[in-house]
Amino acid sequence: MTHTDDPLVSTDWLASRLADPSIRILDASFKMPGVMPLPVDDFLAAHIPGAAFFDVEAIADHASPLPHMYPDARQFARDVGALGVSSDSLVVVYDSGGWVAAPRAWWMFLSFGHANVRILDGGLQKWRAEGRPLQSGPASPRAARFTAHLDETYVRSLAQMRANLDDHREQVIDARARPRFAGEVAEPRPGLRSGHIPGSLNLPYNELFDAATGTMKPIDELKARFTAAGLDLDRPIVTTCGSGVSAAVLTLALYRLGVRGSALYDGSWSEWGHVDGPPVATGPA
């Protein structure tokens, strides 16, 4: 993979370009329901200068009972345009650190046809640790025109995942913690069964970054982690998790390994784990 193929940019790279009007910086920080303060309140307290807040819960299909499902192309275009993102923008997304929602926002931009998008390696965690400038208060971006067209090959539906149980055409790898995957603990979202999609593999997303710095681990280590999980990088892959957010961390790591054509199961366990949902397996992969 060449440098231009790598979705990650460094804090040095971004710091030297804060005044570049062609770059739009988005804070895509996310927390599980009930965790306070809210991500938007954290944004108001401190964010990278010039950033706007990419609300994963808001830029979503509000007609769906499932959390933060993909919106349609019209809504995505409207919502990111309101954040000052145009079709000509170089988008740089970050989160608070810990590789949660910045990869989700990155994958959404790719899904809707905007390839000019990068992720800040280490996010706000590394930016703060280096003593770089911060702003507080609300953002006031100038609305821009953004055109979106969803490429549905980037995501998978429940029907497609059910069909995969029979034909096993795609490998499925789950980003949740091992006890959740094994069904040894209750799910954080009430009313869901415990366990995993039958036949799926497990690689907790937090094993792919350095907790001390917030940066993603080196390429050779990423490859070793996927290999140890039993994944064949030459076969089709779908990533999944609790609600389609942390799965994108695996998607990002796979992309950095040169994998193209992988997909994200948008509904993830929030959909599959319903009491009247498809079959559930328990135990280790």
Side-chain angles (χ1 to χ4, degrees):
M1 180 178 63
T2 65
H3 175 72
T4 54
D5 292 328
D6 196 338
L8 299 186
V9 296
S10 69
T11 50
D12 283 341
W13 183 95
L14 182 59
S16 68
R17 292 167 172 80
L18 285 181
D20 187 337
S22 70
I23 293 178
R24 292 298 301 134
I25 306 170
L26 300 178
D27 183 328
S29 297
F30 168 82
K31 296 178 181 180
M32 290 292 289
V35 178
M36 303 299 283
L38 295 173
V40 67
D41 292 328
D42 288 337
F43 174 84
L44 292 173
H47 55 264
I48 293 176
F53 185 62
F54 183 102
D55 190 339
V56 173
E57 301 290 0
I59 305 177
D61 179 4
H62 300 290
S64 173
L66 299 171
H68 42 256
M69 293 288 283
Y70 263 54
D72 62 25
R74 174 181 287 187
Q75 181 188 340
F76 187 81
R78 182 190 71 225
D79 290 351
V80 302
L83 298 179
V85 179
S86 77
S87 294
D88 297 323
S89 298
L90 168 54
V91 179
V92 178
V93 292
Y94 73 90
D95 52 39
S96 58
W99 289 110
V100 180
R104 164 78 180 197
W106 162 78
W107 194 244
M108 291 179 75
F109 273 101
L110 291 183
S111 301
F112 285 103
H114 191 78
N116 203 14
V117 55
R118 302 290 184 270
I119 301 174
L120 181 65
D121 194 15
L124 191 62
Q125 174 184 338
K126 189 169 188 289
W127 187 272
R128 280 181 180 274
E130 294 168 346
R132 300 188 186 275
L134 295 167
Q135 279 184 339
S136 61
S140 54
R142 179 180 297 178
R145 182 175 177 80
F146 186 90
T147 302
H149 301 283
L150 176 62
D151 183 343
E152 295 183 355
T153 64
Y154 280 73
V155 291
R156 292 290 180 269
S157 67
L158 177 60
Q160 290 171 313
M161 298 300 290
R162 280 180 178 270
N164 196 59
L165 288 181
D166 297 323
D167 60 31
H168 304 290
R169 191 181 71 82
E170 296 178 315
Q171 302 168 97
V172 179
I173 187 161
D174 192 320
R176 291 177 299 155
R178 298 190 191 282
R180 288 176 65 189
F181 179 87
E184 297 170 350
V185 297
E187 280 293 302
R189 288 184 172 82
L192 297 179
R193 297 171 293 168
S194 297
H196 59 266
I197 297 171
S200 59
L201 305 171
N202 183 215
L203 178 54
Y205 76 92
N206 62 305
E207 295 184 9
L208 300 182
F209 63 86
D210 185 324
T213 63
T215 56
M216 186 161 269
K217 290 185 174 179
I219 293 292
D220 57 349
E221 190 166 344
L222 297 179
K223 186 173 183 178
R225 295 278 179 169
F226 282 111
T227 299
L231 195 72
D232 182 348
L233 298 179
D234 294 322
R235 291 185 53 224
I237 301 166
V238 178
T239 61
T240 185
C241 60
S243 63
V245 175
S246 62
V249 181
L250 303 190
T251 303
L252 170 64
L254 290 167
Y255 195 96
R256 297 193 71 221
L257 289 171
V259 173
R260 298 294 183 269
S262 71
L264 182 145
Y265 175 26
D266 195 20
S268 284
W269 199 252
S270 294
E271 183 172 47
W272 193 279
H274 276 183
V275 292
D276 57 351
V280 167
T282 57

